[in-house]
Amino acid sequence: MILIIIGISAFYLFTKYAGVDEGEQAPDFEATLVDGTPFKLSNLQGKYVLLDFWGSWCPPCRRENPKLVQLHQKYSDRLTIVTIALEKDSLSWKKASKKDGFLWKNQIVNQNKYVLLSSIARKYGVSEIPAKFLISPEGKLLGKLSFEEIDNLFSVVREY
């Protein structure tokens, strides 16, 4: 039992502190969007980007998804949302994303038996979901922010 607790604690600390810090360059990655289009994060430089790590199996994620949709509707001219579904299988997200109203192009499904060990999640130090990372037009990580913090930022920032 003690070994299990130590193992879980080590995993949590490894994923949490292996990621990038606020103010640093956001780690670039390549993936395939759900429509089959190749995607590279650095191609979005020049725009604010919100990376949203979620899972169809995650109740807190699903509760937050309506706020994500509202954020997209409110700031789609200034904010590009990239959702990264961390899934054990590649089909569960489809029903959830459709039901929750994900209409944006940049949707990625990162399938892994151990969802938090996804290569993209590890680059950002994701140790729990939901997790959101706001990236500046210059490609710098602005932080792991709440919806309210993002809304406040965009209420102040008129242009980029």
Side-chain angles (χ1 to χ4, degrees), residues 41-72:
L41 179 64
S42 58
N43 289 343
L44 297 177
Q45 202 157 355
K47 304 173 184 178
Y48 281 97
V49 175
L50 180 64
L51 291 183
D52 177 63
F53 291 88
W54 74 291
S56 62
W57 49 271
C58 167
C61 301
R62 299 295 303 279
R63 283 192 299 271
E64 283 195 355
N65 284 347
K67 292 179 185 177
L68 186 65
V69 171
Q70 289 173 350
L71 198 69
H72 176 258

Side-chain angles (χ1 to χ4, degrees), residues 12-135:
Y12 177 80
L13 291 172
F14 171 75
T15 55
K16 185 162 184 72
Y17 296 105
V20 66
D21 290 325
E22 186 176 324
E24 294 181 351
Q25 192 70 24
D28 199 10
F29 63 87
E30 294 183 28
T32 302
L33 299 177
V34 296
D35 68 2
T37 304
F39 173 87
K40 187 171 182 180
L41 179 64
S42 58
N43 289 343
L44 297 177
Q45 202 157 355
K47 304 173 184 178
Y48 281 97
V49 175
L50 180 64
L51 291 183
D52 177 63
F53 291 88
W54 74 291
S56 62
W57 49 271
C58 167
C61 301
R62 299 295 303 279
R63 283 192 299 271
E64 283 195 355
N65 284 347
K67 292 179 185 177
L68 186 65
V69 171
Q70 289 173 350
L71 198 69
H72 176 258
Q73 292 169 343
K74 190 171 182 179
Y75 298 114
S76 64
D77 60 330
R78 297 188 279 161
L79 177 66
T80 300
I81 294 176
V82 178
T83 48
I84 302 164
L86 304 177
E87 301 288 341
K88 288 184 179 181
D89 68 71
S90 61
L91 300 176
S92 301
W93 72 271
K94 191 172 191 172
K95 184 177 177 183
S97 67
K98 184 176 182 177
K99 182 177 182 182
D100 293 352
F102 288 11
L103 300 176
W104 46 87
K105 175 183 167 94
N106 298 312
Q107 296 184 57
I108 298 166
V109 176
N110 206 238
Q111 184 179 340
N112 192 314
K113 183 177 178 182
Y114 304 103
V115 293
L116 292 178
L117 289 180
S118 128
S119 61
I120 301 170
R122 284 185 310 187
K123 285 184 178 192
Y124 283 84
V126 174
S127 58
E128 60 189 11
I129 58 173
K132 289 155 198 45
F133 297 87
L134 188 62
I135 301 170

